[in-house]
Amino acid sequence: MLAIQNHRLTGPDVSFRATPNVGGALRPRYVVLHYTAGRTLESSVESLCTKKPQGNASAHIVLGRDGRIVQLAPFNAVTWHAGVSQWNGIDGLNHHAIGIEMDNAGLLHREGERCVAWFGKVYPDNEVVVAEHRHGGGVRPWHHFTEVQIERALQLCEVLVAHYGLQDVLGHEDIARGRKVDPGPAFPLAAVRARALGRGADVAVRLVVTATSLNIRSGPAAEFPKVAPALKRGAELVLLEPQDRWSRVAVVGATDLEGWVCNDFVTRQAATRSGPTVLSRSQRAVPVAQARATPAPRKPAAPAKKRTPRTVR
Ligand SMILES: [Zn+2]
């Protein structure tokens, strides 16, 4: 169980090592997730605790592949993880966000059949996720995140959101678009975000696609471009932002995907209530990684109308 006392994290497998790379006072409004693009937890901690002539980098937390957490700075001090960045009209997210670096080799490249990190290490197929980034760039190999790491990232986000009343859980790729791609498609950012942002008595609403095939778009109207191939009947979605006719959703599926769907072709699955977070006890038992990897096929609650067009909206 993670907790925060005096801007320091407490809990199992949590340690603290102070980095000299800190700025002024921070009143956090966001948490930003990164991958280290590094070799190991230890090498990344070392690097983020070192002053360098070419520019200093740091973060509040480094999260290992085995779930170990090293905190490098208290959460009320600025660290240097975001660089040039914008979000919601704010520039320079270092002054507004807690940074979490996750030990991960990042974007790999192919040498023949092999997937290789920039530092030369070869990763076996079962540690590689082949996917296209939601910002494009084609289908490429990415180092996978372990289930315990993803679960721990979720716990971290939950405790930070609850303690500091954070407004959002973001990826570096969200705030430095075009410049950064981390944490990338191997990390279920949309699902972690949707779960971590449950506030107070909020309910987690899951939707199920009832049309044979439903388009998912970049905005709340049929005029917006599709962000991915059409969703199939029975696909599960997490409701992020409901509007009159359309809703912004995160797809519980193989990749990290968000977009807008028309409300006419989805139905509410179930609402769960569980105190400070959006997870019920039974949901919590399922790691995000697993939920991502194996979307359970479910029958839609509402029967389809007489003749459903092949792909709607
Ligand atoms: Zn980053």
Side-chain angles (χ1 to χ4, degrees), residues 10-296:
T10 63
D13 296 318
V14 174
S15 59
F16 189 93
R17 174 174 167 186
T19 178
N21 300 333
V22 291
L26 172 67
R27 282 191 58 198
R29 298 162 67 181
Y30 302 99
V31 57
V32 175
L33 295 166
H34 305 258
Y35 60 53
T36 56
R39 292 173 175 81
T40 63
L41 172 66
E42 288 74 17
S43 69
S44 295
V45 166
E46 200 58 45
S47 173
L48 297 170
C49 289
T50 306
K51 286 208 170 288
K52 295 174 187 164
Q54 70 273 27
N56 297 313
S58 58
H60 294 90
I61 294 283
V62 191
L63 171 57
R65 302 184 67 73
D66 57 2
R68 274 182 299 153
I69 292 172
V70 184
Q71 185 172 4
L72 307 182
F75 298 123
N76 62 344
V78 167
T79 62
W80 302 323
H81 55 96
V84 176
S85 48
Q86 303 75 43
W87 186 254
N88 262 354
I90 294 170
D91 281 324
L93 271 286
N94 281 343
H95 294 276
H96 304 276
I98 291 164
I100 297 176
E101 290 278 0
M102 297 180 282
D103 177 23
N104 180 286
L107 177 59
L108 308 174
H109 64 274
R110 289 192 190 278
E111 287 179 10
E113 295 285 283
R114 306 187 313 168
C115 292
V116 187
W118 66 269
F119 46 84
K121 183 173 174 186
V122 176
Y123 288 92
D125 285 352
N126 64 352
E127 290 185 30
V128 175
V129 173
V130 177
E132 180 164 25
H133 197 283
R134 63 194 165 112
H135 297 164
V139 174
R140 294 180 288 178
W142 307 77
H143 190 202
H144 93 318
F145 293 82
T146 66
E147 289 199 9
V148 64
Q149 193 177 25
I150 293 168
E151 197 59 27
R152 209 65 162 147
L154 171 61
Q155 290 168 8
L156 265 171
C157 291
E158 284 179 335
V159 72
L160 289 168
V161 166
H163 189 87
Y164 292 104
L166 302 183
Q167 295 169 19
D168 213 339
V169 173
L170 304 170
H172 204 184
E173 65 196 44
D174 293 314
I175 61 166
R177 204 167 165 150
R179 191 172 70 83
K180 292 291 179 180
V181 293
D182 61 315
F187 187 79
L189 182 59
V192 165
R193 181 184 189 213
R195 289 185 175 204
L197 287 180
R199 293 186 185 95
D202 278 2
V203 289
V205 177
R206 285 223 171 188
L207 305 175
V208 178
V209 174
T210 55
T212 311
S213 178
L214 177 63
N215 285 321
I216 177 164
R217 299 183 178 279
S218 65
E223 291 70 40
F224 286 94
K226 299 171 210 167
V227 297
L231 304 170
K232 299 269 190 308
R233 183 196 302 268
E236 288 188 80
L237 315 169
V238 175
L239 180 62
L240 298 177
E241 184 186 342
Q243 290 191 1
D244 271 2
R245 299 215 46 232
W246 294 71
S247 293
R248 189 164 65 85
V249 296
V251 179
V252 180
T255 54
D256 188 28
L257 179 60
E258 274 181 35
W260 293 83
V261 295
C262 181
N263 295 341
D264 295 346
F265 306 103
V266 293
T267 187
R268 291 201 174 207
Q269 191 178 52
T272 52
R273 186 178 286 273
S274 68
T277 76
V278 296
L279 291 176
S280 72
R281 203 171 285 275
S282 60
Q283 279 179 305
R284 184 183 284 280
V286 181
V288 176
Q290 195 178 319
R292 167 186 62 157
T294 54

